């Protein structure tokens, strides 16, 4: 996934993992075993190169097929030391790279060099250098939540700094973006897609690391936590936690 247009909604993300877990459970009869298999399936997905992933027309079919292959290998090996099966259409699991590469750093601004918009950028850097008051942070966070719920791109982009970036932490356990997204319009589009209103999905503000952030629920379980770095009146950085293991403590 390297295009902003490839961002999935939270509902799609959660339902995909649930579906794979259900497939593995039906084959193995063990919930713990099913979770291990699904984690391995996603590890193999991220072990593919971006080009290899882009060539897979139907990712869900690839993931389901991978799930079946791994389950069959475990059943054939018996209860002790089940081996891994090769993923369909991809490299062997042992050649896979890390499940979730570090996000790319955002673009660096040359604050000392003149040019169009230099004064505005310098002013934003000055605001970043001092802590935002809690009341201002809360107001920006609430406005961001309202814009996401209303699905208003212009209103959302207006709350984001021109060089804002968003990073996604799926821990290699859900299908999400690997690279960060940069720029107010691109970040707005990715957030609106991720947080798209769907049945059984809610988005509220909440305390995140001592500051107001956003908490998304799906089926009453926390599906995403968004940490916001605010230099009022803008959001300058968003971190989206989607890793089910990290979210379990929140739930």
């Amino acid at each position: 996934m390297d295009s902003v247009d490839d961002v999935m909604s939270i509902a799609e993300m959660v339902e995909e993992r649930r579906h794979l877990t259900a497939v593995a459970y039906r084959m193995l009869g063990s919930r713990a075993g099913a979770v291990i298999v699904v984690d391995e399936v996603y590890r193999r997905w991220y072990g593919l190169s971006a080009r290899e992933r882009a060539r897979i027309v139907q990712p869900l079919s690839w993931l389901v097929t991978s799930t079946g292959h791994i389950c069959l290998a475990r059943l054939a090996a018996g209860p002790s030391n089940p081996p891994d099966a090769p993923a369909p259409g991809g490299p062997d699991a042992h050649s896979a790279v890390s499940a979730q590469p570090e996000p790319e750093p955002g673009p660096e601004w040359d604050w000392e060099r003149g040019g169009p918009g230099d004064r505005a950028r310098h002013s934003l850097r000055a605001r970043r250098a001092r802590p935002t008051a809690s009341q201002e942070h809360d107001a920006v966070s609430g406005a961001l939540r309202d814009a996401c719920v209303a699905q208003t791109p212009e209103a959302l982009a207006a709350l984001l700094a021109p060089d804002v970036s968003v990073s996604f932490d799926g821990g290699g356990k859900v299908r999400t973006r690997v690279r960060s997204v940069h720029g107010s319009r691109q970040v707005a589009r990715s957030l609106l897609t991720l947080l798209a209103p769907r049945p059984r999905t809610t988005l509220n503000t909440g305390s995140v690391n001592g500051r107001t952030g956003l908490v998304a629920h799906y089926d009453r379980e926390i599906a995403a936590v968004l940490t916001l770095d605010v230099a009022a009146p803008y959001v300058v950085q968003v971190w989206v936690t989607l890793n089910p293991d990290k979210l379990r403590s929140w739930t």
Side-chain angles (χ1 to χ4, degrees):
M1 280 192 176
D2 291 310
S3 165
V4 174
D5 295 326
D6 286 336
V7 175
M8 297 172 66
S9 71
I10 284 174
E12 293 171 318
M13 203 177 300
V14 174
E15 286 298 334
E16 178 180 272
R17 184 174 173 92
R18 286 183 178 180
H19 178 66
L20 297 178
T21 304
V23 170
Y25 177 70
R26 285 197 298 269
M27 295 185 70
L28 299 178
S30 164
R31 293 206 175 275
V35 170
I36 292 171
V37 167
V38 173
D39 285 349
E40 172 63 16
V41 169
Y42 280 114
R43 191 178 76 82
R44 295 182 182 191
W45 170 261
Y46 286 110
L48 301 174
S49 68
R51 182 173 296 180
E52 287 172 323
R53 291 197 299 271
R55 286 202 296 261
I56 298 174
V57 179
Q58 296 183 325
L60 180 58
S61 295
W62 188 96
L63 294 167
V64 170
T65 302
S66 295
T67 301
H69 285 185
I70 296 172
C71 286
L72 289 173
R74 290 175 68 89
L75 290 170
S80 63
N81 246 357
D84 291 335
D92 183 82
H94 299 293
S95 67
V97 296
S98 61
Q100 188 76 359
E102 288 296 318
E104 287 189 334
E108 296 182 1
W109 294 92
D110 185 348
W111 299 103
E112 306 304 325
R113 187 172 301 174
D118 177 67
R119 281 179 295 180
R121 293 194 298 270
H122 181 79
S123 175
L124 179 57
R125 184 180 72 159
R127 287 197 295 274
R128 280 176 166 167
R130 61 178 186 268
T132 302
S134 295
Q135 188 173 357
E136 291 179 301
H137 185 107
D138 293 349
V140 174
S141 301
L144 189 79
R145 179 264 175 194
D146 293 344
C148 288
V149 171
Q151 291 283 290
T152 50
E154 295 301 326
L156 180 56
L159 293 166
L160 304 173
D163 59 338
V164 65
S165 63
V166 57
S167 300
F168 304 87
D169 174 14
K173 304 208 170 176
V174 291
R175 191 158 57 91
T176 188
R177 281 188 56 86
V178 173
R179 298 177 183 270
S180 299
V181 177
H182 307 286
S184 58
R185 293 191 180 277
Q186 292 85 349
V187 169
R189 193 169 69 193
S190 66
L191 289 178
L192 290 176
T193 301
L194 178 75
L195 303 172
R198 294 286 190 273
R200 300 179 287 170
T201 302
T202 59
L203 179 66
N204 297 293
T205 56
S207 178
V208 180
N209 299 328
R211 284 280 197 165
T212 300
L214 303 184
V215 181
H217 286 78
Y218 184 76
D219 272 351
R220 299 184 181 180
E221 292 185 2
I222 294 179
V225 172
L226 282 71
T227 304
L228 308 176
D229 185 2
V230 176
Y234 300 115
V235 174
V236 296
Q237 174 73 52
V238 183
W239 291 271
V240 183
T241 300
L242 299 161
N243 185 339
D245 292 344
K246 292 183 179 180
L247 294 174
R248 199 166 291 121
S249 60
W250 286 83
T251 303

